[in-house]
Amino acid sequence: VGLLVPAVERELSKIDGQKFDACAVEELLHGLAARIECFVGSALLWLKTSGDEDFQLVAEISAMLRAPVCAVAPRLSVCAAGGLATRFWSLRGHERILAARSLFGTNKTFSTDLERNKAVLTQPLVQLHQYPAFVAAVSDVVRAECKRATSKMAAAATKVIEELVADVSMYVRVRPNEACDQATVDFIGPSTYTKPKHGSDFVDALKTVFLRHLPSAASLKRALMANAGELRLSLFEEDESAKTKRRALDERIDRTRDVIESLIGALDIDQNKPLDKKWLYELQRAKGLPVD
């Protein structure tokens, strides 16, 4: 849209307020309509990526969903290619820690590291790139919404452009001279009858086409919510390689716990200060560690 509007305004400025031979007006307006239709087509094509002809929004949202979430003390980072690197724990003040999940537009303030660590434990970070079928399903919904929006924009823009060559146009005013051998063409706008003129109803109508139908965060959210029953993460299989890595990690954690229990048993020599489960629980809580 940022490129479309200046291009259309340049074409209008070549004609607006100018006199032409009466016999040339019809061809002039049809030629203008054809050029603007090409501009609109290019603008709609821009919504797609040049590589695989998929929609830019689909590629961007898919990349965001596949971005791995990494815990890097004392903050979490979302790292992805294409300039999508986003800080998770974005601010550490004197007496507070702000956890900002900026990729999803949410944030929460914690007073201590312990509170932050508990929040991560109680609400684990899900690595969506480990659920490729889920990412693909979300992308399909976004793609369908982009197709629907593009069709609506194309149809609405066509109706607006057709007004340029209509017998009675709401955007064009043709003023013949007394001899009817010449005519002045004006594009109707907020200040049609004053000079210099600023803006035109035709350009505003084209802007409105994109303003109303271009996919937005709200429209994409509505489309996803309409398919919420089919987009539950629990319905999708996790990537097999992720399962294998998790099993290996669980085994290492179990072995580590066995070693810790053996060490505690070896150090538990003071009957007045037993290193029992209560002591271990209090230690884990104090240090913000996972509680067994």
Side-chain angles (χ1 to χ4, degrees), residues 88-279:
F88 244 76
W89 309 112
S90 62
L91 176 66
R92 183 165 184 151
H94 295 295
E95 298 295 336
R96 63 176 186 158
I97 301 162
L98 176 65
R101 298 188 175 194
S102 51
L103 184 63
F104 304 103
T106 60
N107 62 74
K108 186 175 181 180
T109 302
F110 300 99
S111 59
T112 64
D113 286 333
L114 178 57
E115 288 186 13
R116 181 201 60 200
N117 293 343
K118 285 181 178 179
V120 175
L121 292 172
T122 55
Q123 189 177 8
L125 299 173
V126 178
Q127 301 283 2
L128 291 180
H129 66 87
Q130 296 176 183
Y131 296 84
F134 173 79
V135 174
V138 171
S139 298
D140 287 342
V141 173
V142 175
R143 185 178 295 107
E145 179 64 16
C146 288
K147 286 182 179 179
R148 184 197 66 79
T150 300
S151 297
K152 295 191 85 170
M153 285 187 286
T158 297
K159 290 182 180 179
V160 173
I161 295 171
E162 286 174 348
E163 278 293 323
L164 291 177
V165 295
D167 292 336
V168 180
S169 174
M170 66 176 71
Y171 304 128
V172 182
R173 185 168 67 103
V174 179
R175 294 181 287 126
N177 62 4
E178 290 187 6
C180 287
D181 60 347
Q182 287 190 322
T184 302
V185 178
D186 292 316
F187 293 99
I188 299 171
S191 49
T192 302
Y193 302 99
T194 62
K195 300 296 181 180
K197 183 168 71 176
H198 300 286
S200 86
D201 290 351
F202 176 76
V203 172
D204 286 344
L206 270 185
K207 289 179 181 178
T208 302
V209 166
F210 289 88
L211 182 147
R212 290 184 60 192
H213 302 302
L214 195 67
S216 64
S219 65
L220 292 176
K221 183 177 180 180
R222 285 194 298 269
L224 291 169
M225 291 303 295
N227 293 271
E230 300 173 3
L231 292 177
R232 286 179 296 170
L233 190 61
S234 59
L235 298 178
F236 296 86
E237 282 291 326
E238 189 178 18
D239 183 67
E240 193 60 39
S241 63
K243 292 181 180 179
T244 301
K245 290 178 181 178
R246 180 176 290 105
R247 283 195 293 268
L249 182 59
D250 287 341
E251 290 175 3
R252 291 174 60 187
I253 291 173
D254 289 339
R255 288 198 298 269
T256 301
R257 284 175 172 164
D258 291 340
V259 171
I260 291 173
E261 289 180 3
S262 298
L263 286 173
I264 292 174
L267 296 171
D268 188 12
I269 57 176
D270 189 346
Q271 295 184 352
N272 295 322
K273 295 181 180 179
L275 305 183
D276 53 16
K277 289 185 178 181
K278 181 180 179 181
W279 168 85

